[in-house]
Amino acid sequence: MMNNSFELLPNEVLLIIFSYLSSFDLCQAFLDLKNSRIKHLLTSIRHSLDAGSIHYNQLREFLNSNNDYTKRFTALIDTVILNDSSACMMLLDHWEKNLNALERLNIFLPSVKKIFILNAKYYEYGFIHSILIPLVSANNALQYLHLVFERPTNAYRTILSNLIRHHISLHTMILEVQQGHIYYSNDRVLDFHKMVSPCWPNTIQLTLSIQHSSELILLLQRNALPAIEHLSVTNEDLSVALPLSESKSGSGTRLCEHDLRERLDGTRLRYLLLRYLTISDVVILLGSLTMPLLEKLILVDLYDHTLDFVGKFQEVCGSTYLPALKHLHFSFCFPQEIEDSWRISSFDRNGQWPFDNLAYYKCEIRISDLNSSVFSKKALFVVYKGPINLLFHHKRTFRNHCFAEHASVPIMTTRRRLIQWIGDLKDEPDRLMETLRILASGRANELHLTYSYGLLNESIKSRHPSSCELLFHHLRFLTFNFESESMTKSERVTIIKQILHASPNLSHLAVAWNDFRDCSHSYLNLRHVNLILERLHPEPTEYFNIDRLAELVPDLRSLETSGATIKLNENLAQFVWKIIHRFDQLMHLIVNKDCLYRSKHEKKIMFKERLLAVGHDQLFDCNNIEIEFHRYNELRIWL
């Protein structure tokens, strides 16, 4: 009989096995093997270091060791992935201490080329000065920086200002804002019009957000981005998109044609994407830029509130100063009062739409005034050129179902991204399922579903007993945000069950516990769950059924609770102990995520002591875990 061993497996099989392991686990398991072939395979693939996926004790021992194995592994790291966890802070502290400031050498991670940061707002202070500036000064191989922000708040402005001030210019810099402003005036905290002009000579690809359209001048003026080829800009000025209040005017800062041709430079641009501008600004900008190499121009959600845009359409669509242009696509949104929607008919010519190269659709939405929380119905008028499927590459948010009626399946997108869908009008369940089918075909990596108004007329389950036609194959992150009054509990649970059943690769879920507990399957693929809890009075001893959660998510690695604020008392200490004892693979536990209630410092110290006492210094070994209050009463435990 032949002797078989792991080392005799062919390279193809070994690479398949390697693909199921993280780089950290992979190198711990195989890097010390006395096998040159396996070592060659390990060095032939790209490795990433995600500190948030490593147990506290493992990472602490790894960082504190100074052996040949550690040096060999860190020399292989191509990408560093950070989130807002204590693990990432520990990694950054270690990295900073090992940056040789005198010799400008990156000793700890000498081969890192990419840094990807989720929840970048937590790195508002420290990261730029302690890590990024020394890396750039050391002539490191760093080429790619991708920062993800939920909204364009003060943290975004601070980091962007530091990148400009210190002339940090990498080949690719992506400052991605996922959700934009909320529709309330107190969220308007940015003031980008004071932003100084950047000087990024090495940047080829750039994605960022601005507060006013006039700031495009700062990005496109000569010598600001002399090597730029790929530029994507989102205007975050709410007054451009939603001038719904007579007392609320726009920023007053708009593009001006004066001297723009002499000041702007677009001669190297091959790709230009602009979102949330007025169509007047776009006409001025395109008329002021010379872009002989431009291959793709994408204009998404342009606005005009005067209804005087027939000539403007013709200017944009009939541009002759873009000789290399291969693709032009835009959507045009016009919100207005329902009673004034008859004015749209003025575009008809004998009942016919007058633009042969443009298509349109019209629907209703509910939206709030910028200065109040009062919602009213609006008419949304969308005009687009080219297949509407192309919108899925670039739109942040889709509302209701009208867009799905004009889209076709499959929607072939190459970039995985966040898609938000908001349902705020009463509708039939079959339309909802068709909309979900369209969204699923867009290959989204993250999906936020919000249903905030109207009752479904009948049970979805009765009409759609099977979700066989619905498949979110690429979905990894999913958030359900259903207002309790929007539909019955059974309808909410049915929607959740169908989408979970149709998402075989889903790993992160945010959902109301009151709905999730009634799901019927075990979801072995789920690793990270955010339970949205109801505010209960009086305070219970247990806020959710731990055993039931273990049945639903047996392989849980990260658990968060949000919604209800759980008091720091004996009940919570016992509850935390039961959670950790029940989930033996748990790595992170966050209680009261994004909590706005603050307890006194002394009370937090007393609670931490009580928590340690519950485990009798065994389960909660201070040397093997990290317990901290991140902000206010947000309790974080890293196991």
Side-chain angles (χ1 to χ4, degrees):
M1 180 180 294
M2 294 181 59
N3 292 325
N4 294 319
S5 70
F6 180 84
E7 298 178 5
L8 294 178
L9 293 174
N11 290 349
E12 294 78 7
V13 175
L14 288 175
L15 289 174
I16 292 175
I17 295 173
F18 290 172
S19 67
Y20 285 94
L21 299 172
S22 69
S23 293
F24 184 82
D25 293 333
L26 183 63
C27 289
Q28 277 202 325
F30 300 114
L31 195 58
D32 272 344
L33 286 181
K34 305 300 182 181
N35 185 304
S36 59
R37 183 170 66 93
I38 291 181
K39 285 186 178 181
H40 175 73
L41 289 177
L42 287 176
T43 57
S44 68
I45 59 179
R46 293 183 176 181
H47 293 276
S48 62
L49 180 59
D50 182 358
S53 64
I54 306 173
H55 284 283
Y56 174 85
N57 198 38
Q58 281 184 306
L59 184 61
R60 182 173 59 85
E61 291 180 355
F62 170 75
L63 295 178
N64 291 331
S65 63
N66 191 27
N67 52 38
D68 291 339
Y69 160 77
T70 301
K71 294 177 181 178
R72 291 201 306 272
F73 173 52
T74 55
L76 295 176
I77 299 300
D78 172 86
T79 302
V80 174
I81 302 171
L82 305 173
N83 52 33
D84 61 334
S85 69
S86 301
C88 296
M89 298 305 177
M90 179 190 290
L91 175 65
L92 285 180
D93 288 342
H94 183 85
W95 196 355
E96 180 183 2
K97 293 175 183 177
N98 285 272
L99 278 171
N100 191 318
L102 295 177
E103 299 180 9
R104 300 297 186 184
L105 296 176
N106 176 23
I107 300 173
F108 176 52
L109 296 170
S111 302
V112 64
K113 295 181 177 62
K114 298 181 179 181
I115 297 179
F116 185 90
I117 303 182
L118 299 166
N119 300 321
K121 67 178 181 180
Y122 293 99
Y123 296 85
E124 179 179 356
Y125 305 105
F127 170 74
I128 300 293
H129 293 86
S130 62
I131 301 296
L132 204 54
I133 292 176
L135 281 182
V136 175
S137 301
N139 294 320
N140 187 262
L142 190 65
Q143 301 174 2
Y144 182 98
L145 178 65
H146 190 158
L147 309 178
V148 180
F149 301 82
E150 183 180 8
R151 300 189 185 278
T153 51
N154 276 327
Y156 182 92
R157 179 185 62 182
T158 300
I159 291 178
L160 176 60
S161 298
N162 281 327
L163 291 175
I164 294 173
R165 182 181 303 113
H166 297 286
H167 305 292
I168 296 175
S169 180
L170 306 177
H171 178 281
T172 299
M173 298 198 298
I174 300 175
L175 279 71
E176 176 186 353
V177 177
Q178 289 187 313
Q179 299 187 51
H181 288 291
I182 58 175
Y183 298 153
Y184 301 102
S185 58
N186 61 358
D187 192 55
R188 293 175 54 79
V189 297
L190 288 177
D191 196 13
F192 282 179
H193 72 277
K194 297 180 181 179
M195 184 178 73
V196 298
S197 179
C199 181
W200 289 327
N202 303 319
T203 302
I204 307 297
Q205 178 174 343
L206 176 65
T207 297
L208 52 67
S209 288
I210 59 176
Q211 180 60 42
H212 307 297
S213 60
S214 60
E215 292 158 15
L216 279 167
I217 298 174
L218 300 176
L219 299 173
L220 292 169
Q221 67 182 4
R222 300 185 189 281
N223 300 321
L225 293 162
I228 193 70
E229 296 180 6
H230 187 293
L231 180 62
S232 176
V233 181
T234 299
N235 179 28
E236 304 289 356
D237 188 358
L238 269 181
S239 64
V240 172
L242 305 170
L244 305 179
S245 171
E246 295 182 359
S247 61
K248 189 71 178 180
S249 61
S251 65
T253 311
R254 293 289 179 264
L255 292 176
C256 178
E257 293 180 90
H258 181 63
D259 291 335
L260 284 188
R261 273 193 176 273
E262 297 180 1
R263 296 171 58 188
L264 303 187
D265 180 18
T267 53
R268 294 181 65 91
L269 278 174
R270 296 181 180 275
Y271 176 101
L272 178 61
L273 183 146
L274 302 173
R275 291 195 293 190
Y276 310 140
L277 295 174
T278 66
I279 197 167
S280 299
D281 284 343
V282 170
V283 170
I284 293 173
L285 184 68
L286 294 183
S288 305
L289 275 174
T290 300
M291 299 179 285
L293 303 179
L294 194 68
E295 298 175 358
K296 183 173 288 188
L297 171 63
I298 301 176
L299 309 173
V300 180
D301 288 348
L302 307 183
Y303 294 86
D304 190 290
H305 304 285
T306 65
L307 284 179
D308 181 25
F309 53 80
V310 175
K312 299 173 186 176
F313 274 142
Q314 294 173 342
E315 287 188 65
V316 174
C317 298
S319 298
T320 58
Y321 41 79
L322 303 173
L325 183 65
K326 296 180 181 178
H327 173 62
L328 171 65
H329 171 258
F330 65 85
S331 65
F332 175 81
C333 302
F334 179 73
Q336 59 183 7
E337 297 295 337
I338 294 297
E339 56 266 28
D340 292 335
S341 61
W342 62 268
R343 299 171 65 185
I344 293 177
S345 63
S346 63
F347 297 110
D348 291 343
R349 294 178 181 175
N350 299 322
Q352 300 295 322
W353 176 249
F355 303 106
D356 295 335
N357 61 340
L358 299 173
Y360 78 97
Y361 69 84
K362 180 176 62 174
C363 66
E364 296 177 2
I365 61 174
R366 293 173 70 249
I367 210 162
S368 70
D369 188 282
L370 288 178
N371 288 327
S372 71
S373 58
V374 177
F375 285 82
S376 59
K377 287 185 178 182
K378 300 293 176 181
L380 184 66
F381 188 54
V382 181
V383 178
Y384 55 96
K385 180 178 182 180
I388 197 173
N389 285 10
L390 295 173
L391 282 175
F392 280 80
H393 289 272
H394 312 289
K395 278 184 68 69
R396 278 179 178 166
T397 304
F398 295 90
R399 287 180 175 270
N400 300 318
H401 309 290
C402 287
F403 75 92
E405 297 175 357
H406 299 265
S408 59
V409 175
I411 295 174
M412 301 305 295
T413 58
T414 56
R415 181 182 303 173
R416 294 180 179 178
R417 48 177 299 278
L418 168 69
I419 289 180
Q420 301 175 90
W421 179 81
I422 299 175
D424 53 24
L425 293 173
K426 186 175 182 178
D427 232 319
E428 299 292 338
D430 58 336
R431 300 187 70 189
L432 175 59
M433 297 309 297
E434 178 60 23
T435 299
L436 291 175
R437 193 168 69 92
I438 294 292
L439 293 174
S441 70
R443 299 183 180 181
N445 183 61
E446 184 170 353
L447 178 63
H448 291 186
L449 292 175
T450 300
Y451 207 98
S452 59
Y453 182 76
L455 294 174
L456 295 177
N457 289 336
E458 57 186 277
S459 170
I460 296 176
K461 185 175 181 180
S462 63
R463 184 171 296 191
H464 296 275
S466 172
S467 57
C468 58
E469 295 183 0
L470 184 65
L471 179 61
F472 288 92
H473 181 73
H474 298 275
L475 196 62
R476 301 294 187 274
F477 301 80
L478 177 61
T479 298
F480 291 102
N481 182 23
F482 292 149
E483 292 185 4
S484 58
E485 299 83 5
S486 64
M487 61 183 71
T488 66
K489 179 179 179 179
S490 62
E491 289 168 336
R492 295 196 305 269
V493 172
T494 299
I495 294 174
I496 292 171
K497 289 167 63 176
Q498 288 198 354
I499 297 179
L500 290 180
H501 181 71
S503 307
N505 297 308
L506 186 71
S507 59
H508 294 66
L509 174 66
V511 65
W513 168 247
N514 191 39
D515 296 333
F516 187 50
R517 67 185 182 186
D518 289 335
C519 291
S520 54
H521 292 82
S522 290
Y523 302 100
L524 302 178
N525 51 315
L526 284 178
R527 297 291 186 272
H528 309 267
V529 174
N530 177 8
L531 293 182
I532 304 170
L533 306 179
E534 292 186 345
R535 292 168 174 81
L536 302 173
H537 301 281
E539 291 288 318
T541 57
E542 295 190 356
Y543 293 83
F544 56 86
N545 188 316
I546 298 174
D547 290 332
R548 177 60 183 144
L549 180 62
E551 293 174 357
L552 292 166
V553 195
D555 295 327
L556 192 63
R557 308 295 172 84
S558 174
L559 176 62
E560 303 171 352
T561 73
S562 59
T565 299
I566 304 177
K567 293 182 179 180
L568 306 179
N569 53 28
E570 181 67 28
N571 287 338
L572 178 57
Q574 295 286 345
F575 191 54
V576 167
W577 184 88
K578 292 179 182 178
I579 292 173
I580 297 176
H581 187 267
R582 184 66 175 82
F583 294 96
D584 55 3
Q585 298 186 69
L586 194 68
M587 298 174 59
H588 297 99
L589 175 62
I590 300 178
V591 179
N592 297 329
K593 184 177 182 180
D594 297 327
C595 170
L596 298 179
Y597 180 81
R598 187 198 302 270
S599 294
K600 293 182 178 179
H601 178 70
E602 295 79 8
K603 186 173 183 179
K604 294 179 180 179
I605 297 297
M606 291 177 59
F607 176 80
K608 185 175 179 179
E609 293 174 351
R610 183 182 297 126
L611 191 59
L612 291 171
V614 168
H616 305 292
D617 294 325
Q618 296 178 7
L619 181 63
F620 299 109
D621 185 343
C622 295
N623 295 319
N624 295 323
I625 70 166
E626 176 80 9
I627 302 175
E628 67 172 11
F629 287 93
H630 188 70
R631 62 188 296 270
Y632 299 109
N633 276 16
E634 182 178 302
L635 172 66
R636 296 191 171 203
I637 301 176
W638 178 23
L639 301 162

